[in-house]
Coordinates of all heavy atoms in Angstrom, one line a residue:
H69 N -38.7 18.6 -20.5 CA -37.5 17.9 -20.2 C -36.4 18.9 -19.7 O -36.2 19.8 -20.5 CB -37.0 17.0 -21.3 CG -38.0 16.1 -21.8 ND1 -38.4 14.9 -21.3 CD2 -38.9 16.3 -23.0 CE1 -39.3 14.3 -22.2 NE2 -39.6 15.3 -23.1
N70 N -35.9 18.5 -18.6 CA -34.7 19.3 -18.1 C -33.6 18.4 -17.8 O -33.9 17.4 -16.9 CB -35.0 20.2 -16.9 CG -35.9 21.4 -17.2 OD1 -35.6 22.0 -18.1 ND2 -37.0 21.5 -16.4
F71 N -32.4 18.5 -18.4 CA -31.3 17.7 -18.0 C -30.3 18.6 -17.4 O -29.8 19.4 -18.1 CB -30.7 16.9 -19.2 CG -31.7 15.9 -20.0 CD1 -32.6 16.5 -20.9 CD2 -31.9 14.7 -19.5 CE1 -33.5 15.7 -21.5 CE2 -32.7 13.9 -20.2 CZ -33.5 14.3 -21.2
I72 N -29.7 18.3 -16.2 CA -28.9 19.1 -15.5 C -27.6 18.3 -15.1 O -27.8 17.2 -14.4 CB -29.6 19.7 -14.3 CG1 -30.9 20.4 -14.7 CG2 -28.6 20.7 -13.6 CD1 -31.8 20.9 -13.6
F73 N -26.4 18.9 -15.4 CA -25.2 18.3 -14.9 C -24.6 19.3 -14.0 O -24.3 20.4 -14.5 CB -24.2 17.8 -16.0 CG -22.9 17.4 -15.5 CD1 -22.8 16.1 -15.1 CD2 -21.9 18.3 -15.4 CE1 -21.5 15.6 -14.7 CE2 -20.7 17.8 -14.9 CZ -20.4 16.4 -14.5
S74 N -24.4 19.1 -12.7 CA -23.7 20.1 -11.8 C -22.4 19.5 -11.0 O -22.3 18.3 -11.0 CB -24.7 20.4 -10.5 OG -26.0 20.9 -11.1
A75 N -21.6 20.4 -10.8 CA -20.4 20.0 -10.2 C -19.8 21.0 -9.3 O -19.9 22.1 -9.5 CB -19.3 19.7 -11.4
G76 N -19.1 20.5 -8.2 CA -18.5 21.4 -7.3 C -17.0 21.5 -7.5 O -16.2 20.5 -7.4
L77 N -16.6 22.6 -8.1 CA -15.3 22.8 -8.6 C -14.3 22.9 -7.3 O -13.2 22.4 -7.4 CB -15.1 24.1 -9.5 CG -15.9 24.0 -10.8 CD1 -15.5 25.1 -11.8 CD2 -15.4 22.7 -11.6
F78 N -14.7 23.7 -6.5 CA -13.9 23.8 -5.2 C -14.7 24.3 -4.1 O -16.0 24.5 -4.4 CB -12.6 24.7 -5.3 CG -12.8 26.1 -5.7 CD1 -13.3 27.2 -4.9 CD2 -12.6 26.5 -7.1 CE1 -13.5 28.4 -5.4 CE2 -12.8 27.8 -7.6 CZ -13.3 28.7 -6.5
E79 N -14.3 24.5 -2.9 CA -15.2 24.6 -1.8 C -16.0 26.0 -2.1 O -15.4 27.0 -2.1 CB -14.4 24.8 -0.5 CG -15.2 24.6 0.8 CD -16.0 23.4 0.9 OE1 -15.3 22.3 0.4 OE2 -17.1 23.3 1.4
G80 N -17.3 25.9 -2.0 CA -18.2 27.1 -2.2 C -18.5 27.3 -3.6 O -19.4 28.3 -3.8
L81 N -18.0 26.8 -4.6 CA -18.3 27.1 -6.0 C -18.9 25.9 -6.7 O -18.2 24.8 -6.7 CB -17.0 27.6 -6.7 CG -17.2 28.0 -8.2 CD1 -18.2 29.0 -8.4 CD2 -15.9 28.2 -8.9
E82 N -20.0 26.0 -7.2 CA -20.6 25.2 -8.1 C -20.9 25.6 -9.5 O -21.4 26.7 -9.6 CB -21.9 24.5 -7.4 CG -23.0 25.4 -7.5 CD -24.3 24.8 -7.0 OE1 -24.3 23.9 -6.1 OE2 -25.4 25.1 -7.5
V83 N -20.9 24.8 -10.4 CA -21.3 25.2 -11.8 C -22.2 24.1 -12.4 O -22.2 22.9 -11.9 CB -19.9 25.4 -12.7 CG1 -19.1 26.4 -12.2 CG2 -19.2 24.1 -12.9
S84 N -23.0 24.4 -13.2 CA -23.8 23.4 -13.9 C -24.2 23.8 -15.4 O -24.2 25.0 -15.7 CB -25.1 23.3 -13.1 OG -26.0 24.5 -13.1
G85 N -24.7 22.9 -16.2 CA -25.0 23.0 -17.4 C -26.5 22.4 -17.6 O -26.7 21.3 -16.9
Q86 N -27.4 23.1 -18.2 CA -28.7 22.6 -18.3 C -29.2 22.6 -19.7 O -29.1 23.6 -20.4 CB -29.6 23.5 -17.4 CG -31.2 23.1 -17.3 CD -31.9 24.0 -16.3 OE1 -31.4 24.5 -15.3 NE2 -33.2 24.0 -16.5
I87 N -30.0 21.5 -20.1 CA -30.7 21.5 -21.3 C -32.2 21.4 -20.9 O -32.7 20.8 -20.3 CB -30.3 20.1 -22.1 CG1 -28.8 20.1 -22.5 CG2 -31.1 20.1 -23.4 CD1 -28.3 18.8 -23.0
S88 N -32.9 22.3 -21.6 CA -34.3 22.5 -21.4 C -35.0 22.3 -22.9 O -34.5 23.0 -23.8 CB -34.7 23.8 -20.9 OG -34.1 24.1 -19.6
S89 N -36.0 21.4 -22.9 CA -36.5 21.1 -24.2 C -37.9 20.6 -24.1 O -38.2 19.9 -23.1 CB -35.6 20.1 -24.9 OG -36.2 19.6 -26.2
N90 N -38.9 20.9 -25.1 CA -40.1 20.3 -25.1 C -40.0 18.9 -25.3 O -40.9 18.1 -24.9 CB -40.9 21.0 -26.1 CG -41.2 22.5 -25.8 OD1 -40.4 23.4 -26.0 ND2 -42.4 22.8 -25.4
S91 N -39.2 18.4 -26.3 CA -39.3 17.1 -26.8 C -37.8 16.7 -26.9 O -36.7 17.4 -26.9 CB -39.8 17.0 -28.1 OG -39.2 17.7 -29.1
I92 N -37.5 15.3 -27.1 CA -36.2 14.8 -27.3 C -35.8 14.7 -28.6 O -34.6 15.1 -28.9 CB -36.2 13.3 -26.5 CG1 -36.6 13.4 -25.1 CG2 -34.8 12.8 -26.7 CD1 -35.8 14.2 -24.3
H93 N -36.5 14.3 -29.6 CA -36.1 13.9 -30.9 C -36.7 14.8 -32.0 O -36.3 14.9 -33.1 CB -36.3 12.6 -31.3 CG -35.7 11.5 -30.3 ND1 -34.2 11.5 -30.3 CD2 -36.3 10.6 -29.5 CE1 -34.0 10.4 -29.4 NE2 -35.1 10.0 -28.9
D94 N -37.7 15.6 -31.7 CA -38.4 16.5 -32.7 C -37.4 17.3 -33.3 O -36.5 18.0 -32.7 CB -39.5 17.2 -32.1 CG -40.7 16.4 -31.8 OD1 -40.6 15.1 -32.2 OD2 -41.6 16.9 -31.0
N95 N -37.4 17.5 -34.8 CA -36.8 18.4 -35.5 C -37.4 19.7 -35.4 O -38.5 19.9 -36.1 CB -36.6 17.9 -37.0 CG -35.5 18.7 -37.7 OD1 -35.3 19.9 -37.6 ND2 -34.7 18.0 -38.5
L96 N -36.6 20.7 -34.8 CA -37.4 22.1 -34.8 C -37.5 22.8 -36.2 O -38.2 23.8 -36.3 CB -36.6 23.1 -33.9 CG -36.4 22.4 -32.4 CD1 -35.8 23.5 -31.6 CD2 -37.7 21.7 -31.8
F97 N -36.8 22.3 -37.2 CA -37.1 22.9 -38.6 C -38.3 22.2 -39.3 O -38.7 22.9 -40.3 CB -35.9 22.6 -39.4 CG -34.6 23.2 -39.0 CD1 -33.5 22.5 -38.5 CD2 -34.4 24.7 -38.8 CE1 -32.3 23.2 -38.0 CE2 -33.3 25.4 -38.5 CZ -32.4 24.5 -38.0
Y98 N -38.8 21.2 -38.7 CA -40.0 20.6 -39.3 C -41.2 20.9 -38.6 O -41.1 21.5 -37.5 CB -39.9 19.0 -39.4 CG -38.7 18.6 -40.2 CD1 -38.3 17.2 -40.1 CD2 -38.2 19.4 -41.1 CE1 -37.2 16.8 -41.0 CE2 -37.0 19.0 -42.0 CZ -36.7 17.6 -41.8 OH -35.7 17.1 -42.6
S99 N -42.5 20.6 -39.1 CA -43.7 21.0 -38.4 C -43.8 20.4 -37.1 O -44.5 20.9 -36.2 CB -44.9 20.6 -39.4 OG -44.8 19.2 -39.6
E100 N -43.3 19.1 -37.0 CA -43.3 18.4 -35.6 C -42.8 19.1 -34.5 O -43.2 19.0 -33.2 CB -42.6 17.1 -35.6 CG -41.2 17.2 -36.0 CD -40.5 15.8 -36.1 OE1 -41.3 14.8 -36.1 OE2 -39.2 15.7 -36.2
G101 N -41.8 20.1 -34.7 CA -41.1 20.7 -33.7 C -41.3 22.4 -33.7 O -40.6 23.0 -32.9
R102 N -42.2 22.8 -34.6 CA -42.4 24.3 -34.6 C -42.8 24.8 -33.4 O -43.7 24.3 -32.8 CB -43.3 24.5 -35.9 CG -42.7 24.2 -37.2 CD -42.6 25.4 -38.1 NE -41.8 25.0 -39.3 CZ -42.5 24.7 -40.5 NH1 -43.8 24.6 -40.5 NH2 -41.8 24.2 -41.4
G103 N -42.3 25.9 -33.0 CA -42.8 26.5 -31.7 C -42.1 25.9 -30.4 O -42.4 26.5 -29.4
Q104 N -41.4 24.9 -30.6 CA -40.7 24.3 -29.4 C -39.4 25.1 -29.1 O -38.9 25.9 -29.8 CB -40.3 22.9 -29.6 CG -41.5 22.0 -29.8 CD -41.2 20.5 -29.9 OE1 -40.0 20.0 -29.6 NE2 -42.2 19.6 -30.4
T105 N -38.9 24.7 -27.9 CA -37.6 25.3 -27.4 C -36.6 24.3 -27.2 O -37.1 23.1 -26.8 CB -37.7 26.2 -26.1 OG1 -36.5 26.8 -25.9 CG2 -38.0 25.4 -25.0
R106 N -35.4 24.5 -27.4 CA -34.3 23.5 -27.0 C -33.0 24.4 -26.7 O -32.5 25.0 -27.5 CB -33.9 22.5 -28.2 CG -33.1 21.4 -27.8 CD -33.1 20.3 -28.8 NE -34.5 19.6 -28.8 CZ -35.0 19.2 -29.9 NH1 -34.6 19.3 -31.1 NH2 -36.3 18.7 -29.8
D107 N -32.9 24.5 -25.3 CA -32.0 25.5 -24.9 C -30.8 25.0 -24.0 O -31.1 24.0 -23.1 CB -32.6 26.6 -24.1 CG -31.8 27.7 -23.6 OD1 -31.6 28.7 -24.5 OD2 -31.3 27.6 -22.5
L108 N -29.6 25.3 -24.2 CA -28.4 25.0 -23.3 C -27.9 26.0 -22.6 O -27.7 27.1 -23.2 CB -27.3 24.3 -24.4 CG -26.0 24.0 -23.4 CD1 -26.3 22.8 -22.5 CD2 -24.9 23.6 -24.6
S109 N -27.9 26.1 -21.4 CA -27.4 27.1 -20.5 C -26.6 26.7 -19.5 O -26.5 25.6 -19.0 CB -28.7 27.9 -19.8 OG -29.4 26.9 -18.9
F110 N -25.8 27.7 -19.0 CA -24.7 27.4 -17.9 C -25.0 28.4 -16.7 O -25.5 29.5 -16.8 CB -23.2 27.8 -18.5 CG -22.8 26.7 -19.5 CD1 -23.0 26.9 -20.8 CD2 -22.1 25.7 -19.0 CE1 -22.6 26.1 -21.8 CE2 -21.6 24.8 -20.0 CZ -21.8 24.9 -21.3
N111 N -24.8 27.8 -15.6 CA -25.1 28.4 -14.3 C -24.0 28.4 -13.3 O -23.1 27.4 -13.4 CB -26.4 27.7 -13.7 CG -27.5 27.4 -14.6 OD1 -27.8 28.2 -15.4 ND2 -28.0 26.2 -14.6
A112 N -23.8 29.2 -12.5 CA -22.9 29.3 -11.4 C -23.4 30.0 -10.1 O -24.2 30.7 -10.0 CB -21.6 30.1 -11.9
K113 N -22.8 29.3 -9.0 CA -23.2 30.0 -7.7 C -21.9 29.9 -6.8 O -21.2 28.8 -6.8 CB -24.3 29.0 -7.0 CG -24.7 29.4 -5.6 CD -25.2 28.4 -4.8 CE -26.7 28.2 -5.1 NZ -27.4 27.4 -4.1
Y114 N -21.7 30.8 -6.0 CA -20.7 30.9 -5.0 C -21.0 31.2 -3.7 O -21.7 32.3 -3.4 CB -19.5 31.9 -5.5 CG -18.3 31.9 -4.8 CD1 -17.5 30.9 -4.5 CD2 -18.0 33.2 -4.2 CE1 -16.5 30.9 -3.7 CE2 -16.8 33.2 -3.4 CZ -16.0 32.2 -3.2 OH -14.9 32.2 -2.3
Q115 N -20.7 30.4 -2.8 CA -21.0 30.6 -1.3 C -19.9 31.6 -0.8 O -18.6 31.1 -0.9 CB -21.1 29.3 -0.5 CG -21.5 29.6 0.9 CD -21.4 28.3 1.6 OE1 -20.4 27.7 1.9 NE2 -22.6 27.7 1.9
L116 N -20.2 32.7 -0.2 CA -19.1 33.6 0.3 C -18.5 33.0 1.4 O -19.1 32.5 2.4 CB -19.8 34.9 0.6 CG -20.7 35.6 -0.4 CD1 -21.2 36.9 0.1 CD2 -19.7 35.9 -1.6
P117 N -17.1 33.1 1.6 CA -16.4 32.6 2.6 C -16.3 33.5 3.8 O -16.8 34.6 3.8 CB -15.0 32.3 2.0 CG -14.8 33.5 0.9 CD -16.3 33.7 0.4
Y118 N -15.5 33.0 4.9 CA -15.3 33.8 6.0 C -16.5 34.1 6.9 O -16.4 35.0 7.8 CB -14.5 35.2 5.8 CG -13.4 34.9 4.7 CD1 -13.3 35.5 3.5 CD2 -12.3 34.0 5.3 CE1 -12.1 35.2 2.7 CE2 -11.2 33.9 4.4 CZ -11.3 34.4 3.2 OH -10.1 34.3 2.3
I119 N -17.6 33.6 6.6 CA -18.9 33.7 7.5 C -19.0 32.5 8.3 O -19.1 31.5 7.9 CB -20.1 33.9 6.6 CG1 -20.0 35.1 5.7 CG2 -21.3 34.0 7.6 CD1 -21.2 35.4 4.8
P120 N -18.8 32.6 9.7 CA -19.0 31.5 10.6 C -20.2 30.6 10.3 O -21.3 31.1 10.1 CB -19.0 32.1 12.0 CG -18.3 33.4 11.9 CD -18.7 33.9 10.4
K121 N -20.0 29.3 10.2 CA -21.1 28.4 10.0 C -22.2 28.5 10.9 O -23.5 28.2 10.4 CB -20.5 26.9 9.8 CG -19.6 26.7 8.6 CD -20.3 26.9 7.3 CE -19.4 26.4 6.2 NZ -20.0 26.6 4.9
D122 N -22.0 28.8 12.2 CA -23.1 28.8 13.1 C -23.9 30.2 13.0 O -24.8 30.4 13.9 CB -22.5 28.7 14.5 CG -21.5 29.7 14.9 OD1 -21.0 30.4 14.0 OD2 -21.1 29.7 16.1
W123 N -23.5 31.0 12.2 CA -24.3 32.3 12.0 C -25.2 32.0 10.9 O -26.4 31.8 11.1 CB -23.3 33.4 11.5 CG -22.6 34.0 12.6 CD1 -22.3 33.4 13.9 CD2 -21.6 35.2 12.6 NE1 -21.3 34.2 14.6 CE2 -21.0 35.2 13.8 CE3 -21.4 36.1 11.6 CZ2 -20.2 36.3 14.1 CZ3 -20.6 37.3 11.9 CH2 -20.0 37.3 13.1

Side-chain angles (χ1 to χ4, degrees):
H69 307 277
N70 290 310
F71 300 90
I72 304 167
F73 177 86
S74 303
L77 292 187
F78 56 82
E79 196 63 34
L81 176 65
E82 70 171 38
V83 296
S84 63
Q86 177 173 339
I87 297 174
S88 301
S89 178
N90 294 77
S91 62
I92 302 295
H93 301 295
D94 289 351
N95 189 322
L96 303 191
F97 294 116
Y98 295 165
S99 59
E100 62 180 8
R102 293 239 173 94
Q104 295 186 16
T105 188
R106 193 164 290 144
D107 185 85
L108 175 63
S109 60
F110 289 93
N111 317 312
K113 180 205 274 191
Y114 182 57
Q115 185 185 70
L116 301 182
Y118 310 120
I119 299 176
K121 292 293 185 182
D122 57 349
W123 289 11

